Amino acid sequence: MRGPQPSADGPWLQRQSAAGQVVVLLALPLGVATSSVVVGWAVEGTLRLMEGYLPRPVAFLRPLLLRWTRGSARRVLTELQELAVEIGEGRATPHQRARFQHLDGRRRDWPSQPDRYMPTRVGNILRAGESRPVDKYGLDPVAVWPHMWLLLPSQVRQDLVAARTAMDGAVAGFLWGLLFSVFTVWTPWALPVSAAAVTITCFILLPNPGPHLHRPHRGGH
C-alpha cells in the first residue's frame, strides 16, 4: 500500500514528502536558536552602524551624510532664531510657538559643536548626550565613565542598565524583522510583516535613544 503522496497544490510544506516535512520541522528550532545567537552577536555592531560608524566599503558615504546633517542643523538653527524674534516681540502665532518647541527639541538631538556631528540621527543623539558633560562640567565621559559608574547609586545604575537593555532590545527587534523577510520564499506575507517590524523598532529607537542609554566609547571618525 502506498502512503500519502505530496500534494501538487497548497503551501510549500504540504507539497514536500513526509520525510522532507520531518526534516523541515526538525530544522526550524535549530534555525531559531542559531538566529538568536547571530542576533545577539550582531546587536553591538548594528548599533555602531546606526550611530554612523560605517565600514570601509561604504565609508565614502560619511562625508555626504555629514554634509546633509550640518545643512539640516543650520536650517533648524536659522528658523529657531527667526521664531525666537517673533516670540520675543510678541507677534508669534500658536502655530509658530509650537513649531519653536518642536525645533528646539530637534536642536537638542545634535551635539553642541558641528565638529562632533555624526552621520546618522541615532549617532547624533548619543553623541549629544556624550557632549553635555564636556560642555557643562569639562568632563570627558569616555575617560571618567568607568569611575563614575562605581560611584552611582544602585537605583541609578539599575535604571541605566534597564535603559541600555531596552535599546539593545530595539536593535535586536530590528534585526529579527530583517531576518523574518527570509520567509518570503515560503509566504508573501513575510515581507510586509518584516517591514512592519523594522518600521516599529525604528520608531522605538529613533525618537530619543537618550544619553543614558549609551556606554561612552571613543569611536573612529
Side-chain angles (χ1 to χ4, degrees):
M1 179 180 297
R2 299 180 63 184
Q5 298 302 305
S7 172
D9 301 316
W12 177 85
L13 186 61
Q14 293 182 8
R15 298 199 305 268
Q16 309 308 307
S17 65
Q21 293 180 19
V22 170
V23 170
V24 170
L25 293 176
L26 291 176
L28 283 175
L30 179 61
V32 171
T34 303
S35 299
S36 299
V37 173
V38 171
V39 167
W41 172 80
V43 162
E44 185 70 23
T46 302
L47 179 57
R48 285 184 61 81
L49 185 63
M50 289 179 169
E51 289 181 63
Y53 295 102
L54 304 179
R56 185 168 299 177
V58 293
F60 68 93
L61 294 174
R62 184 182 177 89
L64 300 176
L65 293 172
L66 283 173
R67 189 179 310 157
W68 181 86
T69 297
R70 292 191 177 106
S72 179
R74 282 195 299 268
R75 289 190 293 272
V76 167
L77 291 175
T78 299
E79 188 174 354
L80 270 174
Q81 292 169 358
E82 294 172 351
L83 290 171
V85 171
E86 296 294 316
I87 292 173
E89 296 180 355
R91 299 194 305 265
T93 65
H95 172 74
Q96 287 175 317
R97 292 179 182 276
R99 177 69 175 168
F100 180 87
Q101 294 295 328
H102 171 70
L103 293 179
D104 190 54
R106 285 192 59 189
R107 177 185 62 82
R108 297 174 186 274
D109 289 346
W110 287 305
S112 58
Q113 302 298 325
D115 61 354
R116 298 175 186 164
Y117 285 173
M118 295 294 290
T120 66
R121 186 180 178 192
V122 172
N124 279 308
I125 294 173
L126 296 177
R127 178 62 64 85
E130 289 181 1
S131 299
R132 289 188 187 110
V134 179
D135 299 332
K136 203 168 185 180
Y137 307 109
L139 295 176
D140 182 352
V142 177
V144 304
W145 179 252
H147 308 285
M148 288 178 60
W149 179 258
L150 297 175
L151 299 175
L152 291 174
S154 176
Q155 185 59 50
V156 174
R157 281 187 290 180
Q158 291 176 14
D159 291 342
L160 293 174
V161 170
R164 175 63 194 235
T165 301
M167 185 172 70
D168 287 347
V171 176
F174 173 82
L175 291 173
W176 276 113
L178 289 180
L179 286 174
F180 194 79
S181 64
V182 172
F183 291 97
T184 305
V185 298
W186 291 291
T187 172
W189 286 104
L191 190 59
V193 170
S194 172
V198 168
T199 302
I200 291 171
T201 52
C202 282
F203 273 111
I204 292 172
L205 183 64
L206 284 177
N208 188 15
H212 57 288
L213 297 181
H214 186 55
R215 184 182 300 108
H217 61 81
R218 189 77 67 187
H221 293 285

